[in-house]
Amino acid sequence: MAHAQRRHQGFTLLELMVVVALLAVVVGMASLSLRDSAAARLDEEATRLAALLEGARARSRAMGVEVDWQPLSDAPGFRFVGLPDSVHLPDRWLDEGTHAEVVGAASLVLGPEPIIGAQRVVLSLGERRVVLATDGLAAFAPLAPLEDPPKP
């Protein structure tokens, strides 16, 4: 009877090894899921830019002035052209490595007309890219991420 009581007072080596193995698997899965922070930062940039473009588009219609959005090529950032000086919108990316390119034009035309032409802008951060687009009626929204170009 004394032998049975002593046996239940601690853990066996096998039990400890199983717990350590399970912890290693959980930590490994967590690190893999958190590994691609560039994609998360780019998604955050795309969502933020879509909101800024829609805000500027609404102000353009409300004020009756033409507003354009231009990415800067010589500095990290962008600018809204046409809004009065009293309107202060952000002009910097959250991550300085972000780059934008308007597809087929030098800038996005945001208004004042309620229907604008279909427009796209490609945001990139490192190897990741995402497209923000509008058909002219709907709000700017991120499309599915672009696949990375094949490497030679």
Side-chain angles (χ1 to χ4, degrees):
M1 194 106 149
H3 184 270
Q5 286 179 341
R6 187 182 318 158
R7 190 170 184 210
H8 293 289
Q9 289 179 352
F11 298 105
T12 66
L13 181 60
L14 182 60
E15 290 170 331
L16 289 174
M17 288 176 58
V18 168
V19 169
V20 169
L22 287 174
L23 284 174
V25 169
V26 169
V27 168
M29 289 173 50
S31 67
L32 287 175
S33 68
L34 298 175
R35 192 172 225 166
D36 196 7
S37 64
R41 289 192 318 257
L42 186 59
D43 288 343
E44 185 178 1
E45 289 281 17
T47 302
R48 176 177 176 253
L49 181 59
L52 288 172
L53 292 174
E54 287 308 310
R57 191 173 170 188
R59 287 177 190 241
S60 174
R61 287 194 304 263
M63 296 176 163
V65 296
E66 183 174 322
V67 175
D68 293 342
W69 179 86
Q70 300 173 339
L72 300 177
S73 59
D74 56 344
F78 49 87
R79 66 180 171 191
F80 291 92
V81 178
L83 288 173
D85 292 336
S86 61
V87 176
H88 300 288
L89 292 176
D91 60 357
R92 297 267 178 223
W93 300 111
L94 297 174
D95 189 309
E96 289 187 15
T98 304
H99 177 72
E101 180 182 346
V102 178
V103 177
S107 64
L108 297 174
V109 178
L110 303 175
E113 294 81 19
I115 300 175
I116 58 176
Q119 300 176 82
R120 290 178 177 236
V121 61
V122 178
L123 293 180
S124 59
L125 180 60
E127 302 256 339
R128 300 275 184 195
R129 296 181 297 159
V130 68
V131 175
L132 284 177
T134 181
D135 62 359
L137 283 173
F140 281 90
L143 300 179
L146 295 176
E147 293 297 323
D148 293 334
K151 296 188 181 190

